[in-house]
Amino acid sequence: MLKLLWLGLKVKWQECREFVCVLWRFRSCQAFLLGYCLLATLYLFSSPYSVSRRYLKWINADDVYSYGETPLTSLAEIADRTGIHAGDHVFELGSGSGFTALWLSLVKGCRVTAIEWIPGFVYRLNWVVRVLKLSGIEVRCEDYLKASLENATVIYLFASNLEDLIVNELAERLAALPSGTRIVTVSYPLQPYIERPVFALADRFETRFPWGKADVYVQEVV
């Protein structure tokens, strides 16, 4: 019991610390801060972890605790190392709470397509997009294994707990993207999941996530 209590307090401390760091680090981008605070307000009484857990229980998923998200301070490092810029069209596969999509659009200036299958996440992000009249973010309530990825220049996938069969299927889909498309994955590269040489590893580095540090892989379709 004490161990669980300590873990819960540690997670809350990390969330509060990240919130303050984001407000300070990106304070010059007023549009982002407004969107960030609006979206955070929608999760004030129901955290992203709770939203995910309720939905996964509702559909009788085997693992209802599989949710995770990228801290925006870590996302900034990933974007810099990947070379993401305002001319990119970033597809986020499994956009979760939507903070990543907001940051990519309002801080980096990218066009963003956020694909997420949990309606509670989609509703909240769409509400912020409508209220702020953001033209650079498209939110889709879809399964990213079936969604169209047309016009993507960058794919971002943070799903470290996917089963091998799903990663195999995803790798086959991403292999069909145009040459030069950059794909960023957390915890594993895609090439081992496909027989033919398709993904060239451009960079590999370590960054911080809520549970600790993890490897980030930057790949290009060849």
Side-chain angles (χ1 to χ4, degrees):
M1 179 64 72
L2 288 176
K3 186 176 181 180
L4 289 175
L5 179 60
W6 167 248
L7 182 60
L9 290 173
K10 184 178 180 181
V11 170
K12 284 297 182 183
W13 163 248
Q14 289 176 339
E15 290 176 354
C16 291
R17 182 177 179 273
E18 174 72 10
F19 183 77
V20 173
C21 287
V22 168
L23 293 180
W24 175 254
R25 182 169 179 179
F26 306 113
R27 62 191 183 279
S28 62
C29 186
Q30 298 299 314
F32 167 72
L33 291 185
L34 177 58
Y36 180 69
C37 290
L38 277 177
L39 190 55
T41 301
L42 297 180
Y43 291 109
L44 194 58
F45 300 106
S46 184
S47 73
Y49 298 92
S50 298
V51 172
S52 173
R53 186 167 61 250
R54 284 198 304 271
Y55 182 77
L56 294 177
K57 283 183 177 179
W58 183 68
I59 64 171
N60 294 317
D62 293 333
D63 183 6
V64 299
Y65 300 101
S66 60
Y67 180 74
E69 57 185 47
T70 306
L72 296 184
T73 49
S74 299
L75 180 64
E77 179 186 359
I78 292 171
D80 289 343
R81 292 287 295 260
T82 309
I84 294 176
H85 54 78
D88 279 317
H89 185 173
V90 182
F91 276 61
E92 186 181 9
L93 308 188
S95 57
S97 60
F99 291 107
T100 301
L102 276 182
W103 187 90
L104 287 167
S105 175
L106 297 176
V107 176
K108 296 300 288 186
C110 304
R111 182 181 172 192
V112 180
T113 297
I115 301 176
E116 174 57 53
W117 70 314
I118 296 180
F121 289 140
V122 173
Y123 170 79
R124 286 167 171 82
L125 180 56
N126 256 329
W127 184 83
V128 173
V129 168
R130 289 197 305 270
V131 167
L132 298 183
K133 299 180 180 179
L134 304 178
S135 60
I137 303 178
E138 178 186 2
V139 190
R140 299 182 188 170
C141 190
E142 296 179 352
D143 179 352
Y144 57 68
L145 290 174
K146 301 175 182 178
S148 171
L149 305 177
E150 187 179 3
N151 298 323
T153 63
V154 177
I155 302 288
Y156 181 64
L157 172 68
F158 168 40
S160 58
N161 59 341
L162 292 180
E163 297 178 359
D164 286 351
L165 288 177
I166 295 178
V167 182
N168 286 337
E169 183 178 351
L170 183 60
E172 288 289 348
R173 287 212 67 210
L174 297 179
L177 291 172
S179 177
T181 304
R182 287 162 288 164
I183 302 170
V184 183
T185 55
V186 177
S187 297
Y188 51 81
L190 292 175
Q191 186 55 56
Y193 292 90
I194 193 168
E195 292 184 359
R196 60 191 186 281
V198 177
F199 305 107
L201 186 63
D203 196 6
R204 173 185 176 180
F205 56 94
E206 193 177 65
T207 192
R208 181 181 58 84
F209 287 87
W211 71 87
K213 291 186 175 181
D215 288 327
V216 177
Y217 296 85
V218 182
Q219 300 129 108
E220 288 188 4
V221 180
V222 296

